[in-house]
Amino acid sequence: MRAGAGFAHGYFTLALLTLALAAGAAGAQESSAVGCGRQAAQFAGGGNFSLWVTRRGVLTRDNPLRPLSPEVLEVLQVVIRGKAATAYGPDPDNLRRGPAPASLESQSGGAPIRWGETADGLPATLRIRADDSTAVLAELRFRACGDAPKVAEPKRPAAKTAGTEGEPGAEKPAKPRPQAKPQGKPQPKPEPTHTPGGFVLPQGAIP
């Protein structure tokens, strides 16, 4: 009995040690910092959704509810489907979706974002939450370092030249208006002089 109990105790201890080592390895992997240097960091989640983190900075803005305690937010500049956007929040585990960096600064009363030289130090997992910070909208895990896709620039309308034919909006030259004929009494036409044979003589032929 004692031998069996000792064996069972040893097996139970070994199982606990195995679970602890596995949990420790998972925790170390979860808390390991991402370092890509000058390159961007790609994070991906379910549904083939992914983004590239290109810059990491800090935004300090005033909080109307706490005037003496400004709000300090971490800001990530990201590229999603060829468009520039941001993810911001108190920490990488509580991020919210945001507009382009310039729009985020404008929405924050003109407070500038202080960008770091790189985006190093990010955790292996980013969590994007709803605006009320309750539900997790996306859980993105680090995939690789690389070059982020180029951001598509909005197309600018072509400049129109006034007076050019064939282009929409071009002004066409005005047609000259016909001059009005002077009004007056109509002059009677001279009646032709007929000969008995019906020939028409030119005017002045007969004195």
Side-chain angles (χ1 to χ4, degrees):
M1 293 294 293
R2 291 181 180 179
F7 178 79
H9 179 73
Y11 180 79
F12 181 72
T13 303
L14 180 61
L16 288 179
L17 181 60
T18 303
L19 291 176
L21 291 176
Q29 184 178 4
E30 181 74 15
S31 60
S32 60
V34 174
C36 291
R38 297 292 180 179
Q39 290 185 314
Q42 183 188 25
F43 288 81
N48 296 327
F49 175 77
S50 65
L51 57 81
W52 292 82
V53 179
T54 56
R55 286 198 295 179
R56 184 182 186 187
V58 176
L59 174 64
T60 303
R61 64 184 183 184
D62 296 333
N63 189 344
L65 301 178
R66 293 179 297 175
L68 301 179
S69 300
E71 188 177 14
V72 180
L73 300 173
E74 182 167 356
V75 182
L76 304 180
Q77 178 175 309
V78 299
V79 177
I80 304 176
R81 297 171 183 170
K83 295 182 179 181
T86 55
Y88 66 97
D91 54 72
D93 195 50
N94 295 276
L95 299 174
R96 288 183 292 175
R97 299 169 296 180
S103 299
L104 181 60
E105 290 177 339
S106 178
Q107 293 178 4
S108 303
I113 302 173
R114 300 192 303 274
W115 296 108
E117 295 183 357
T118 65
D120 291 347
L122 291 174
T125 301
L126 302 177
R127 291 180 177 86
I128 310 296
R129 297 183 179 271
D131 293 339
D132 55 2
S133 301
T134 55
V136 177
L137 301 179
E139 188 171 288
L140 309 174
R141 298 185 180 276
F142 172 71
R143 287 292 182 265
C145 299
D147 296 330
K150 294 183 179 180
V151 177
E153 297 182 358
K155 295 182 179 180
R156 297 180 179 179
K160 298 179 181 179
T161 305
T164 304
E165 296 182 359
E167 292 185 4
E171 297 181 359
K172 297 182 179 180
K175 295 182 179 180
R177 296 182 179 180
Q179 296 182 357
K181 295 181 179 180
Q183 296 181 357
K185 296 182 179 180
Q187 299 293 331
K189 295 182 180 180
E191 296 181 0
T193 304
H194 293 273
T195 61
F199 292 98
V200 179
L201 296 177
Q203 185 178 2
I206 301 176

